[in-house]
Amino acid sequence: MPRAIVGIGGNLGARRAIFACAEALLAAQSGCCLLARSQLYATPALGPPQPDYLNGAFAIAWDGDAHGLLDMLRHVEQLLGRARRERWGARTVDLDILHWSAAPIATPSLTVPHAELERRTFALAPLLDVAPDLAVTYQAVLEGLGGAPALAVPGWLLLAHASPGAPRSSPAERAAWAQLLVGTVAQCGELT
């Protein structure tokens, strides 16, 4: 099963709650297994004036191709209130495929490794948290950009998933948890 590194970022709404929803939705997807979660980083926004971002990454095993993963990530973004209005504009959540273990990809709809990866400390630092084996490729690049951005304090809203080998919830339980979490955050008006 291919491994992907998925970057997550956002600067609108209750970001930590939205990230927890994204994590729960990913874990609930058929064919998706969350392997690791990075530390959470705080970074100034690129582009037009807007609030600062929180950024992180997930390592996942995905039972499908990269384009199917991209479709699933876009669906999760939509569920969490992502509206694509302005390039580099403010957003509730942004999910990007940063790395794909099977092979590099260059199609009109998808480029992996991410086209801007080597210019963005907020993507490189979390990627290296969850994929230290990629340090040979990216550690010097990150250091050349000035090193990792500041850690977000406090960090993630929810504890990381259980360690490998620990009992896992069923797909139905994960889906129910994801729906409950997204519904709660939406009801609080935090997906905007």
Side-chain angles (χ1 to χ4, degrees), residues 7-187:
I8 184 169
N11 67 342
L12 294 178
R15 297 169 298 173
R16 287 173 174 81
I18 292 167
F19 284 20
C21 289
E23 182 174 357
L25 288 166
L26 291 174
Q29 297 299 312
S30 175
C32 184
C33 179
L34 283 170
L35 304 172
R37 180 177 70 190
S38 73
Q39 298 181 85
L40 197 58
Y41 296 87
T43 57
L46 300 175
Q50 56 189 294
D52 289 348
Y53 275 81
L54 291 181
N55 291 282
F58 302 107
I60 65 169
W62 174 249
D63 187 20
D65 67 15
H67 287 89
L69 175 58
L70 180 64
D71 291 343
M72 185 269 287
L73 295 176
R74 294 299 172 252
H75 177 69
V76 169
E77 286 179 344
Q78 189 175 35
L79 289 173
L80 296 175
R82 171 77 190 265
R84 295 178 180 275
R85 294 186 190 108
E86 174 182 24
R87 182 177 167 100
W88 294 340
R91 62 203 67 175
T92 55
V93 67
D94 184 26
L95 294 167
D96 291 314
I97 304 172
L98 302 177
H99 178 78
W100 182 251
S101 67
I105 300 167
T107 68
S109 61
L110 181 61
T111 301
V112 182
H114 191 282
E116 298 293 320
L117 179 61
E118 293 193 23
R119 294 186 193 98
R120 296 178 172 176
T121 61
F122 61 83
L124 286 167
L127 175 137
L128 291 173
D129 285 350
V130 298
D133 55 306
L134 297 176
V136 68
T137 304
Y138 295 114
Q139 187 64 48
V141 175
L142 178 60
E143 290 171 10
L145 294 171
L151 290 175
V153 178
W156 293 87
L157 180 65
L158 300 176
L159 297 175
H161 282 282
S163 61
R168 292 185 48 96
S169 56
S170 71
E173 290 170 322
R174 290 192 304 271
W177 166 246
Q179 287 179 330
L180 177 64
L181 192 57
V182 173
T184 301
V185 173
Q187 193 171 28

